[in-house]
Amino acid sequence: MSDSHRKAISLGITGGIACGKSEVGRILGEMGFAVCDADRVAHDLMEKGKPVFQQIIHHFGDDVLTEDGRISRSDLGKMVFEEPSRLQLLNMLVHPAVRQELEKWMAVQKKENRPSAVLLPLLFESGMDDLNWDVVVCVSSAEPSVFQRLEKRGLSPEEAEQRVLSQMPLAEKESRADVVINNLGTLGELELAVRETVKAIMLER
């Protein structure tokens, strides 16, 4: 996709939990985009010894640590998704550091004139909709499919519902995004939708 290399656009990819953002990221990567997963950035920042790690232990205690002294994301997840105020606190500790890393990463892609995409589930909730995006894309899916995927990830129906309810309603994300990609069919259909969306974005620029 030579066109994408000529126009170094920056896409913010958001959407509901288990709607297919990672698949969209994979497809964009195959199309020549540099792709950054904000969740992975957050996980790196929570590694043992890093400032965010220290802050989390300070606020949440040693209960969230594994035997080898790392943060257990599943234990931390259970703790914060049961209590909205804890989730809010965790986000306040993690989001500013994630934002800083994303800004640096995006600046490098722009300098190298590479089209880029950041997978950012909480793009609106975290206030990162004001980053330097050319286009914000919302990946959407049907609720039964979402719950099916979360079940496959090992979450109980109650846990799945907690995760879905902890995010901004999908309809609101769709209305605030510039473009919506509906992931309602096969992977092949999703790939076609992503390619068509990028083509349309490029034509407008």
Side-chain angles (χ1 to χ4, degrees):
M1 199 185 93
S2 58
D3 209 11
S4 71
H5 287 284
R6 197 161 63 244
K7 299 171 182 173
I9 60 164
S10 171
L11 305 180
I13 311 291
T14 192
I17 188 169
C19 280
K21 293 179 295 296
S22 299
E23 283 301 330
V24 169
R26 180 188 61 75
I27 294 161
L28 289 169
E30 288 172 3
M31 293 173 70
F33 278 74
V35 179
C36 177
D37 184 341
D39 278 349
R40 206 162 289 163
V41 172
H43 298 160
D44 289 347
L45 290 165
M46 287 159 64
E47 283 294 322
K48 205 170 175 177
K50 297 207 173 167
V52 173
F53 172 92
Q54 311 289 5
Q55 289 175 334
I56 288 171
I57 303 312
H58 175 72
H59 288 280
F60 293 96
D62 295 343
D63 290 350
V64 297
L65 292 178
T66 59
E67 281 179 13
D68 63 353
R70 295 177 183 279
I71 288 173
S72 163
R73 293 208 307 273
S74 60
D75 288 347
L76 183 60
K78 277 182 185 150
M79 188 186 275
V80 300
F81 284 108
E82 282 169 5
E83 181 54 69
S85 62
R86 285 186 195 148
L87 180 59
Q88 206 176 357
L89 172 61
L90 180 65
N91 288 340
M92 278 167 61
L93 298 175
V94 177
H95 287 166
V98 170
R99 183 189 182 103
Q100 219 173 4
E101 292 301 314
L102 293 183
E103 283 174 339
K104 282 193 277 191
W105 185 85
M106 287 167 72
V108 170
Q109 309 317 312
K110 207 167 189 65
K111 196 177 172 189
E112 293 177 0
N113 206 34
R114 285 191 75 183
S116 65
V118 176
L119 310 181
L120 189 49
L122 302 180
L123 184 141
F124 294 116
E125 293 92 327
S126 64
M128 289 194 228
D129 48 327
D130 66 355
L131 285 177
N132 201 14
W133 313 114
D134 289 307
V135 179
V136 171
V137 178
C138 176
V139 184
S140 186
S141 193
E143 204 171 75
S145 308
V146 167
F147 279 98
Q148 218 173 356
R149 290 182 200 121
L150 289 173
E151 202 179 311
K152 279 184 187 162
R153 292 182 193 177
L155 295 181
S156 69
E158 294 76 24
E159 286 172 328
E161 198 169 352
Q162 277 176 351
R163 303 286 165 109
V164 170
L165 291 174
S166 75
Q167 295 191 354
M168 181 183 284
L170 192 50
E172 193 178 334
K173 291 191 180 195
E174 289 176 358
S175 71
R176 289 179 64 175
D178 301 308
V179 179
V180 176
I181 293 176
N182 287 304
N183 178 21
L184 302 170
T186 63
L187 275 180
E189 287 169 325
L190 179 63
E191 180 160 351
L192 190 64
V194 173
R195 289 183 179 274
E196 289 297 319
T197 299
V198 170
K199 200 169 159 186
I201 291 168
M202 290 301 181
L203 287 172
E204 284 175 15
R205 303 201 70 73

